[in-house]
Amino acid sequence: MPGGHLTYEERRKIAEGLAERLPYAEIARRLGRPRSTVGREIARNGGPYGYRAARAQHAAGRRARRRPYAPVGTPAAADAGERDPRAVRAFEERLTAFLSGGMPAMAAKVLVCLFTSDTGNLTVTDLTERLRVSPASVSKGVGWLEQLGLVRRERDNRRDRYLVDDEVWYRTWLAGTRSMAMWADAVREGVDVLGVQTPSGVRLRTASRFFDLLSADMALAAEHYRQAFSTTGDVTR
């Protein structure tokens, strides 16, 4: 019913509408729901090309089980346990500082901002307001994250919306696996150049074996993740 939570049947109809390439407005009309409700549902659950009804239903269940957010002092906040804004801010700063050790500072700020938002997706306007920086700064941070597959971009009502999802670490890990394989190939080339029996050749051959084994182990770990979480509905692609 309009105004209430989406049901699995409604999510299934959304998926069918997307498969038929129907506009969001038409899907919303068929459901008797506001277009904004349908747009948010699709954006937070994989976008128009990745939306799956079962996965969206499971994600909604997970969100419902989490401690809900409400402005401090409201009845809902009192029922759920108020979030301390200072504690939230301190956590965001600590996480940003930690991530900044391995990525540009602005990219770290954007990633933390997305991770600590309840929706997991924000527009450029949202990010500039929360981070108090220019749109150009946000775009630079987002661009770096997109290259690594840490953030996805979806077009929603003529606006770019940036998302993080449950597969972000899986994709990043696979990228690391490919990187290890490339290291193995690059080092192995030097074995023939420097000589198999020379000290430097032996050293490079050992390094190449190390990267080969590490790449294989990382690939197995990634597959274990996919199988383990797909059984609970967390990863289904």
Side-chain angles (χ1 to χ4, degrees):
M1 57 183 291
H5 295 298
L6 288 169
T7 65
Y8 175 72
E9 181 62 22
E10 287 178 312
R11 291 188 166 96
R12 188 179 64 79
K13 290 180 179 178
I14 288 175
E16 291 176 351
L18 290 173
E20 296 175 24
R21 300 184 181 276
L22 296 178
Y24 288 8
E26 176 60 19
I27 296 174
R29 188 190 67 78
R30 293 186 180 187
L31 293 178
R33 292 277 191 171
R35 186 202 175 284
S36 58
T37 298
V38 172
R40 284 194 300 270
E41 167 70 12
I42 295 170
R44 67 167 40 162
N45 291 292
Y49 302 107
Y51 186 87
R52 301 291 185 275
R55 182 167 54 202
Q57 183 73 13
H58 182 79
R62 291 204 316 274
R63 288 192 295 269
R65 291 191 295 271
R66 294 172 183 164
R67 183 173 67 182
Y69 171 77
V72 174
T74 63
D79 290 341
E82 294 182 351
R83 282 178 177 168
D84 183 345
R86 290 173 299 180
V88 171
R89 181 60 181 166
F91 167 73
E92 291 175 343
E93 290 177 351
R94 288 195 302 272
L95 186 57
T96 299
F98 175 77
L99 293 176
S100 294
M103 64 177 65
M106 184 51 62
K109 290 179 180 180
V110 170
L111 188 59
V112 169
C113 201
L114 287 168
F115 261 111
T116 56
S117 68
D118 285 326
T119 61
N121 65 84
L122 297 169
T123 64
V124 172
T125 301
D126 296 331
L127 288 166
T128 55
E129 290 178 353
R130 290 186 60 170
L131 296 175
R132 297 182 181 180
V133 296
S134 67
S137 296
V138 169
S139 296
K140 186 175 181 179
V142 167
W144 193 92
L145 294 168
E146 282 186 303
Q147 288 182 354
L148 295 183
L150 291 173
V151 166
R152 291 190 297 109
R153 185 195 308 239
E154 298 286 355
R155 195 71 173 172
D156 176 27
N157 195 23
R158 291 179 295 180
R159 297 181 303 174
D160 283 333
R161 184 172 292 274
Y162 303 103
L163 307 92
V164 290
D165 57 35
D166 291 337
E167 284 199 337
V168 60
W169 304 120
Y170 174 78
R171 292 194 299 271
T172 305
W173 191 263
L174 285 184
T177 300
R178 290 191 292 271
S179 178
M180 290 300 100
M182 291 173 63
W183 270 93
D185 291 340
V187 173
R188 189 180 299 112
E189 182 181 349
V191 176
D192 292 332
V193 173
L194 296 172
V196 177
Q197 302 301 326
T198 65
S200 55
V202 171
R203 189 181 306 117
L204 287 175
R205 185 173 57 187
T206 300
S208 177
R209 291 182 59 195
F210 169 79
F211 288 122
D212 274 332
L213 290 172
L214 187 57
S215 176
D217 286 345
M218 290 174 68
L220 287 174
E223 186 58 30
H224 173 71
Y225 166 89
R226 177 177 285 273
Q227 292 180 6
F229 282 82
S230 65
T231 60
T232 61
D234 285 341
V235 177
T236 56
R237 284 191 288 177

